[in-house]
Amino acid sequence: RVLFLGNSFSFVSGGVWTQYKTIAEACIPGLHVTTTFKGQGAETLHEAGNDPATVSQVRGGGYDILVLQDQSELAEEGYDEVKKVFAPEAARHNALLGLYQTWATPPADGDNLTDGTLLRKQYYDDLAKISRQVGAQVVVARAGEAFFEVLRLNGFDWEFPGYRNLLAGDYDHPSQLGMNLVAWVMVLSFNAKRFSPPGCDPDRVATIPGQSDEDKHTYARIACELAGVCSKTPAATLPPLCGDAAKLQGEWVRKRRLSQVECQQEKKLGNVAADCTYMERWVVSGTEVKQLARGVEKSHSLRVSNYGPKLCFVKLLPEFSYVRKVTPTKVMFNDCKVWTRKDHQDESLEDECWCVEGNKWKDYEDDTCAAYEPGQPKHGEQFCENTGEARISMFRLLRAKETCQG
């Protein structure tokens, strides 16, 4: 008997309880699962713990597993409610407290899904620690980490179908495939004592629409590893880099110019030249990319899709910009950026752009770069982030700040 408390991340795509029941009963012979759900859209654990109807249902018992799912963006912490209501009640009814860890998403976390995943991991681990302190048996269903593992398997490219198909059309909520992965993680985590390596044979479980047999086996393996039933699979050896990716290896630079306000601030720190320019360094090693500028280092990566000697795509992440051309001294991306080989840095031009001229670019309101000149109505960071007509990828168009000088 499983009582699920949550919001839309639990009830969309047919409800997590539906796939939980299907997988659990297929994996554990003789098990009969009954499920109940209580919650509403965007509800937090704080709200649920202060809702009389929810608290009454939890205190009434009648469940063997109590599953808690907090609001996906962690808008309101539920520590007190877990400590004072949910964990003590689960302990009183000798029930397992299951914590449904959600995942980082592009709408909520932008391009940095790594930090978003770590944030949610820490939050649910903290909830587990609090629960144990009041005597509850608790297990975290690490669905967020499962999503991140699928992202890793797809080269950390959330545009790639292998990961994108886990998400609904809003790129936030789980699709039916995403909910299937969540259910696999829950079944293996909440019932870990019933399994031994290699976990549940995925061939015992029906394949859902749109799911390949390979996907199903991958989800089952990830769930088994995150539940601690199976040992971690060693990372696969990367294949040799294709032509453009091999040419990208080494150090590159990009000459950048700051606005007057930024320039004055950075001059005080000694990070820019007298003319308000600075060199942005890019160091490529394999598929790992480091960006170094103004005393700050950032990590990036390359997504290499190699289809043979005549067809290879290289994408810089998390910018989602594709390599269009590599010459001995320059690399050009489809968002118009240009890098210059470090040995030829004297050839680097300020904010060098190769594909869209400022006098031809237009934004989504049909305005040209003239509207973004200092003193004009649209001048300002919020407007410079607006997109235009030139497409970089399926998710993003060229922004004003990437096209218009200054």
Side-chain angles (χ1 to χ4, degrees):
R1 300 168 299 173
V2 187
L3 171 59
F4 292 86
L5 302 182
N7 51 49
S8 55
F9 271 56
S10 290
F11 67 67
V12 299
S13 302
V16 66
W17 54 88
T18 303
Q19 297 205 52
Y20 178 90
K21 175 180 173 67
T22 298
I23 296 172
E25 291 182 347
C27 288
I28 306 172
L31 180 68
H32 176 66
V33 177
T34 58
T35 63
T36 309
F37 172 74
K38 181 74 172 67
Q40 57 186 348
E43 187 172 46
T44 66
L45 286 180
H46 173 78
E47 292 170 336
N50 288 279
D51 174 54
T54 301
V55 173
S56 176
Q57 188 168 1
V58 171
R59 286 178 174 161
Y63 49 83
D64 302 297
I65 305 175
L66 173 62
V67 181
L68 305 180
Q69 177 247 314
D70 208 345
Q71 199 270 344
S72 60
E73 296 179 22
L74 309 181
E76 193 172 34
E77 294 175 344
Y79 295 124
D80 286 345
E81 288 67 34
V82 169
K83 182 177 181 179
K84 297 176 182 178
V85 180
F86 299 125
E89 289 301 319
R92 187 168 71 87
H93 293 287
N94 197 30
L96 176 70
L97 185 65
L99 300 178
Y100 168 10
Q101 177 199 81
T102 54
W103 47 91
T105 69
D109 301 88
D111 296 331
N112 191 352
L113 301 189
T114 301
D115 286 351
T117 300
L118 293 174
L119 174 67
R120 289 160 179 81
K121 178 181 184 300
Q122 186 62 59
Y123 176 69
Y124 281 94
D125 285 347
D126 289 344
L127 291 182
K129 182 178 180 180
I130 291 171
S131 301
R132 294 188 184 100
Q133 289 173 348
V134 296
Q137 304 174 62
V138 59
V139 171
V140 179
R142 301 186 181 278
E145 292 168 66
F147 271 61
F148 190 76
E149 176 62 11
V150 175
L151 180 66
R152 185 190 69 80
L153 293 174
N154 285 273
F156 296 100
D157 183 353
W158 56 262
E159 289 188 328
F160 210 70
Y163 180 78
R164 191 183 73 233
N165 291 342
L166 294 177
L167 304 173
D170 60 1
Y171 301 99
D172 196 32
H173 289 84
S175 65
Q176 191 175 14
L177 276 176
M179 200 64 92
N180 182 261
L181 175 58
V182 173
W184 269 105
V185 173
M186 285 187 176
V187 169
L188 270 293
S189 298
F190 298 160
N191 302 278
K193 294 179 180 179
R194 298 173 181 260
F195 295 105
S196 57
C200 174
D201 179 2
D203 291 331
R204 299 173 63 100
V205 182
T207 302
I208 65 172
Q211 183 182 46
S212 69
D213 193 58
E214 180 182 0
D215 285 340
K216 183 174 66 173
H217 280 73
T218 298
Y219 297 174
R221 175 187 60 77
I222 291 172
C224 191
E225 292 175 5
L226 289 173
V229 175
C230 302
S231 57
K232 184 72 174 176
T233 302
T237 302
L238 292 174
L241 297 173
C242 65
D244 280 350
K247 294 175 185 177
L248 273 175
Q249 303 302 302
E251 293 193 36
W252 304 83
V253 297
R254 186 169 181 237
K255 193 173 186 179
R256 308 300 308 276
R257 174 177 289 278
L258 294 173
S259 67
Q260 290 183 350
V261 174
E262 289 179 312
C263 182
Q264 295 304 317
Q265 294 173 341
E266 291 298 314
K267 274 185 176 179
K268 295 177 182 178
L269 301 175
N271 289 333
V272 294
D275 62 354
C276 296
T277 62
Y278 66 95
M279 280 297 187
E280 187 177 75
R281 290 180 56 217
W282 294 83
V283 182
V284 183
S285 177
T287 57
E288 295 182 358
V289 182
K290 296 290 185 183
Q291 176 191 7
L292 302 100
R294 295 153 60 191
V296 177
E297 179 178 313
K298 296 182 180 179
S299 295
H300 304 255
S301 63
L302 298 179
R303 165 74 188 183
V304 181
S305 301
N306 193 348
Y307 300 100
K310 294 185 178 181
L311 185 61
C312 177
F313 298 105
V314 182
K315 186 191 289 188
L316 178 66
L317 301 173
E319 284 78 1
F320 295 102
S321 51
Y322 285 94
V323 173
R324 290 294 297 271
K325 186 177 181 180
V326 183
T327 73
T329 60
K330 302 280 186 178
V331 55
M332 290 158 270
F333 296 89
N334 73 330
D335 63 356
C336 299
K337 287 197 301 286
V338 178
W339 294 354
T340 302
R341 182 67 74 177
K342 185 174 182 293
D343 295 343
H344 297 266
Q345 65 180 27
D346 291 343
E347 300 175 20
S348 180
L349 306 177
E350 292 177 13
D351 297 322
E352 189 171 356
C353 170
W354 70 272
C355 60
V356 176
E357 296 179 13
N359 61 353
K360 295 181 180 180
W361 177 88
K362 291 182 179 181
D363 68 11
Y364 72 108
E365 291 181 329
D366 209 37
D367 286 323
T368 66
C369 281
Y372 292 84
E373 294 176 359
Q376 295 301 312
K378 288 194 173 184
H379 184 63
E381 185 67 19
Q382 70 274 27
F383 295 110
C384 292
E385 290 286 355
N386 288 340
T387 55
E389 297 175 341
R391 183 169 292 278
I392 294 174
S393 71
M394 67 190 340
F395 288 96
R396 190 162 76 79
L397 301 173
L398 199 63
R399 296 175 292 189
K401 73 173 190 176
E402 296 168 326
T403 311
C404 304
Q405 288 189 351

